[in-house]
Amino acid sequence: MAAGNDAIDFPELDGKEVRVGIIKARWHEDITDDLVAGVKSALAECGVEAENIVESEVPGSFELPLATRFLALSGTVDVIIPIGLLIKGDTYHFEVIADTVTRGLMDVGLSTGIPVIFGVLTVNTEEQAKYRATGSNNHGVQWGKAAVEMALLRASAVGQKGRKFFLGFGAAEEVGSKDRKSTRLNSS
Ligand code: RBF
């Protein structure tokens, strides 16, 4: 069974107008840095401009959901990739926060409409984490591609930069500001 970066294929992705937010948790930073590098290589492959990538960081994975929400509400990015690594330790920390962080990140995407990619590795050992953060199995690569795909999906669904309006999935039609206004009024 295909796994890791071979698990799915991605279509051709044109990211030249996509703005991406990356938020890295500093716990296990040598490994989260590798994941960020994987993300950036995929973004470059998709044509995302370096100047359209916003990077910030938080102490640990527990802080990712709120930081992601702040960035989503800022309106400065089209998609966010929160990156963290939770490794099972001697305490119940992992059990207590893994699901919560996951749910928190999902909630931000659903409540703001800004796509949020799940860039948190939840593993038993550091060795498992390294395997998933290096070489051809660097999961950051598929997170970067997933981010561009979801940003383009959002653009086609709800428009971007005020030039389009919602028509459901597929190609949104470009409309002028006058049309936008009347569309909004009619639907209210
Ligand atoms: N943050 C992570 O991103 N990954 C971890 O594996 C991790 N393990 C932790 C283990 C313990 C016992 C504690 C107290 C915190 C840990 N954190 C970890 C940090 C956590 O996500 C958060 O930054 C801090 O609890 C401060 O809110």
Side-chain angles (χ1 to χ4, degrees), residues 5 7 13 15 18 25 29 31 35 45 52 60 64 68 73 77 91 101 121 124 150-152 169 175 185 187:
N5 282 349
L13 296 165
V18 173
E29 194 166 26
I31 298 177
L35 292 165
E45 202 184 307
N52 285 339
L64 285 172
T68 301
L73 294 176
V77 295
T91 70
V101 169
L121 287 184
N124 292 316
M150 290 306 292
L152 295 175
F169 291 148
V175 292
L185 287 175
S187 62

Side-chain angles (χ1 to χ4, degrees), residues 92-161:
Y92 281 101
H93 180 266
F94 180 96
E95 282 76 4
V96 169
I97 81 163
D99 287 351
T100 313
V101 169
T102 305
R103 170 53 63 117
L105 293 174
M106 172 73 83
D107 282 351
V108 175
L110 295 177
S111 63
T112 63
I114 300 293
V116 174
I117 301 305
F118 185 54
V120 180
L121 287 184
T122 51
V123 295
N124 292 316
T125 65
E126 192 172 317
E127 189 186 12
Q128 288 179 342
K130 284 184 174 157
Y131 175 63
R132 287 160 179 77
T134 47
S136 61
N137 197 45
N138 186 328
H139 285 25
V141 173
Q142 56 172 288
W143 299 340
K145 290 180 184 172
V148 176
E149 181 170 343
M150 290 306 292
L152 295 175
L153 174 65
R154 175 172 175 270
S156 75
V158 300
Q160 61 180 356
K161 295 179 184 163

Side-chain angles (χ1 to χ4, degrees), residues 25-28 59-64 84-88 91 93-94 97 101:
R26 289 193 299 276
W27 268 69
H28 316 293
S61 295
F62 185 74
E63 282 72 43
L64 285 172
L85 169 56
L86 287 165
I87 302 180
K88 262 191 186 177
T91 70
H93 180 266
F94 180 96
I97 81 163
V101 169

